[in-house]
Amino acid sequence: MESGMFSGGPDEWFEDVGRRTLAACIENGLMPDHRVLDIGAGSLRVGWWLVHYIEPTNYHAIEPVRDRLDAAAEILGAPIHLYYNTNFDFPDVEFDFVLARSIWTHASKPMISKMLAEFARKSAPRAKFLTSVIYAVTPDEDYDGVDWVGKVLKNDPSGGVKHSGDWIRAECAKHDLSVEEVGDLHGQTWLRIEHAPRESGPAPAGSRERGSR
Ligand SMILES: C[S@@+](CC[C@H](N)C(=O)[O-])C[C@H]1O[C@@H](n2cnc3c(N)ncnc32)[C@H](O)[C@@H]1O
């Protein structure tokens, strides 16, 4: 980018990833009245598109690189919610849609576990969590470190990690979540994670329509 900011991936993909990620969100259930969390929102590559579809006040972004997020938010000029934590703590909101684009491709297994635990606790019953991943094909590729791998700041070394489908499915099941492959974009597979269906009778009278299971 001209500003010298890390854009979140190759600069030539900036618009395409934003545009097509919004499309993937809509195809996977995003509605205009949803409350959305964008984990590792970076320079709002996707956030810019999201807030042209949802209410800006329903958009929440976590990004530890404060300057990057603040600069993008200033350009956007909309009333969005910004958080700068590094431990994947979700704000205390019942989210309808959570997005992690190009995040599990850098995050460790304990970090992914934390995101799943937070999603399980802080989301509506019919919420969706759309995340992108590159699968490990061999056991050697399956990342077992604890650190983030890849750029945080512009000049950090590049790099990425892979996780096996078996581990992801088992980890989702631990949190009573289901997971389904729903497409791909620029070499990363989209996964849609949801609360696993409960065996239950009819919904109790007066239960919330938006987001109720
Ligand atoms: C590859 S970029 C993707 C950015 C954005 N999701 C997108 O698709 O444009 C990864 C982002 O995750 C951020 N990040 C790094 N550690 C994080 C953490 N602990 N919690 C949340 N985001 C983090 C980085 O600063 C960076 O902005």
Side-chain angles (χ1 to χ4, degrees), residues 10-208:
D11 289 348
E12 63 274 21
W13 291 357
F14 190 79
E15 180 181 339
D16 193 53
V17 169
R19 182 193 294 277
R20 290 167 71 187
T21 298
L22 173 62
C25 291
I26 294 171
E27 279 161 17
N28 284 285
L30 179 67
M31 297 294 286
D33 65 342
H34 275 179
R35 287 178 286 216
V36 175
L37 176 65
D38 189 358
I39 305 174
S43 50
L44 300 181
R45 175 169 68 162
V46 182
W48 187 90
W49 292 87
L50 283 168
V51 299
H52 287 79
Y53 178 72
I54 62 165
E55 288 296 324
T57 50
N58 281 339
Y59 175 80
H60 300 251
I62 302 176
E63 169 55 56
V65 183
R66 187 179 275 264
D67 292 354
R68 177 178 307 152
L69 185 55
D70 287 352
E74 196 180 326
I75 292 166
L76 178 66
I80 59 177
H81 302 273
L82 310 178
Y83 312 88
Y84 308 99
N85 73 69
T86 55
N87 50 6
F88 301 98
D89 278 340
F90 290 13
D92 217 0
V93 171
E94 190 185 48
F95 287 106
D96 302 295
F97 206 97
V98 174
L99 174 71
R101 171 69 200 180
S102 301
I103 299 300
W104 288 23
T105 47
H106 302 278
S108 67
K109 287 183 167 60
M111 292 171 179
I112 291 173
S113 250
K114 174 78 182 280
M115 291 181 236
L116 292 173
E118 289 286 273
F119 174 72
R121 273 188 337 114
K122 295 179 184 167
S123 65
R126 293 174 72 171
K128 321 279 186 236
F129 182 175
L130 190 68
T131 187
S132 63
V133 68
I134 300 178
Y135 284 129
V137 176
T138 65
D140 283 354
E141 287 180 348
D142 200 9
Y143 180 55
D144 65 0
V146 294
D147 296 324
W148 178 270
V149 176
K151 279 188 200 297
V152 175
L153 298 170
K154 174 90 179 169
N155 295 323
D156 292 346
S158 294
V161 298
K162 298 178 183 178
H163 298 284
S164 74
D166 283 350
W167 180 81
I168 291 170
R169 279 185 290 277
E171 203 57 28
C172 286
K174 273 189 206 166
H175 296 281
D176 288 329
L177 300 169
S178 66
V179 55
E180 193 181 343
E181 284 176 27
V182 290
D184 57 81
L185 176 60
H186 289 296
Q188 299 183 22
T189 301
W190 284 122
L191 301 180
R192 188 184 63 221
I193 295 166
E194 297 173 77
H195 295 273
R198 281 195 196 127
E199 287 168 33
S200 62
S207 62
R208 251 176 84 202

